[in-house]
Amino acid sequence: MGKLAFVTRKAFDIRFSGRSTDFISPSFGYGCLYNCSYCYMKRHKPDGLSVAKNTGDILTEINNHAYFTPVAKPNQTHPDFTTYDISCNEDFALHAKYHDWKRIFAFFRDHPVAMGSFATKYVNPNLINFDPQGKIRIRFSLMPQSRSDIHEPGTSKIIDRIKAIDAFIDAGYDVHVNFSPVIIYDGWMEEYEDLFKMLNDYVDYKKQVLAEVIFLTHNENKHKANLEKHPKTEDDLWKPEIQEPKISQYGGRNIRYNRHLKAAYMSAFRRRHDEIIPWNTIRYMF
């Protein structure tokens, strides 16, 4: 496990999102104790996790922001509440034991305007003992198990994430799925078809579960780090013949799938997804 530090968070920027959520909250945690090959956080913090000690200051900032920042509703993030991603820079479910997570969840449960949300690759059974009354959204990240084994070592098995969907809805959570990142490899579509069938077989709350789809964006520095630590992952991630360069908004040298090829990949994904699990509305895809 990487280094764990408890810090007093001094930056309270709340950033606009408009995709998974309306906004991104200040970081309750920064870093990740998983070691996923594609993780964008590892580009900025390769090892360890810092956890904010001043949870109350962050919640105060979110409270003030929620009341005084107008958001047009309904929108694709939620029809009624202003949504905040509380875990953009970590896996909150994995790190929950280091946070005052019940206080954070209770804040959103009781707030008349704000709702919390986070994506995770970990099925944390302790969270089921809290009823957020629909005011916390968990987005379980999904990919074919063959690729999760390579790119997400130590994370919960895909079947366990899928089986957890109904259990967390029963516990009072709003649950979506997060197909992210979608990685192109030989046989990728066939394995996604199997993944869609698993969802169809194991999810009973079909009307409640929506989705987001994010195709891989990789990074040159992360590519070099992977070559040193786990080079096998780069067989999937670094494919210049089907990728093109993209400079990030922060100046990073990234690569993503060639825009023309990506349009075809996205079309194929949506077509098979909608044929097998038409109940699973895709909120957005990019």
Side-chain angles (χ1 to χ4, degrees), residues 133-201:
Q133 299 175 20
K135 294 294 296 301
I136 295 289
R137 175 182 293 157
I138 294 180
R139 307 178 333 261
F140 283 111
S141 297
L142 301 178
M143 65 169 55
Q145 187 63 57
S146 71
R147 264 44 203 181
S148 182
D149 289 341
I150 296 170
H151 298 287
E152 303 173 341
T155 61
S156 294
K157 293 295 184 183
I158 298 300
I159 186 61
D160 293 332
R161 300 181 210 177
I162 291 173
K163 288 181 177 179
I165 291 171
D166 282 358
F168 274 82
I169 292 175
D170 283 335
Y173 289 85
D174 183 34
V175 181
H176 288 185
V177 292
N178 174 26
F179 297 106
S180 173
V182 178
I183 300 170
I184 305 302
Y185 56 92
D186 289 343
W188 73 281
M189 196 68 262
E190 289 80 5
E191 293 201 337
Y192 269 97
E193 289 175 4
D194 293 339
L195 178 60
F196 299 152
K197 291 173 183 177
M198 287 170 57
L199 274 166
N200 200 51
D201 289 343

Side-chain angles (χ1 to χ4, degrees), residues 19-167:
R19 285 177 170 162
S20 294
T21 56
D22 294 307
F23 299 99
I24 299 169
S25 82
S27 297
F28 291 99
Y30 189 84
C32 191
L33 300 182
Y34 278 143
N35 194 28
C36 299
S37 65
Y38 52 77
C39 179
Y40 86 93
M41 264 307 299
K42 296 292 183 181
R43 306 172 194 173
H44 308 292
K45 186 174 176 61
D47 297 295
L49 168 70
S50 69
V51 176
K53 295 187 294 184
N54 52 332
T55 297
D57 293 338
I58 296 175
L59 294 178
T60 296
E61 196 69 24
I62 296 171
N63 177 68
N64 294 339
H65 186 274
Y67 277 121
F68 296 107
T69 304
V71 178
K73 293 291 179 177
N75 63 20
Q76 68 90 15
T77 69
H78 196 280
D80 302 313
F81 302 112
T82 301
T83 53
Y84 293 84
D85 192 327
I86 64 171
S87 183
C88 185
N89 295 321
E90 63 165 335
D91 189 313
F92 193 93
L94 176 66
H95 304 150
K97 63 183 177 181
Y98 303 119
H99 293 291
D100 192 355
W101 67 269
K102 290 183 179 179
R103 180 185 180 187
I104 296 169
F105 284 16
F107 166 85
F108 287 105
R109 179 197 63 201
D110 299 335
H111 202 285
V113 178
M115 175 179 177
S117 177
F118 61 90
T120 184
K121 303 173 187 70
Y122 177 54
V123 179
N124 187 334
N126 294 324
L127 304 186
I128 286 185
N129 298 320
F130 185 96
D131 178 6
Q133 299 175 20
K135 294 294 296 301
I136 295 289
R137 175 182 293 157
I138 294 180
R139 307 178 333 261
F140 283 111
S141 297
L142 301 178
M143 65 169 55
Q145 187 63 57
S146 71
R147 264 44 203 181
S148 182
D149 289 341
I150 296 170
H151 298 287
E152 303 173 341
T155 61
S156 294
K157 293 295 184 183
I158 298 300
I159 186 61
D160 293 332
R161 300 181 210 177
I162 291 173
K163 288 181 177 179
I165 291 171
D166 282 358

Side-chain angles (χ1 to χ4, degrees), residues 232-252:
K232 180 176 172 57
T233 63
E234 289 305 299
D235 293 343
D236 285 340
L237 304 182
W238 192 263
K239 292 187 173 181
E241 67 276 12
I242 61 171
Q243 293 167 325
E244 62 186 14
K246 174 184 181 292
I247 302 300
S248 77
Q249 60 180 316
Y250 304 108

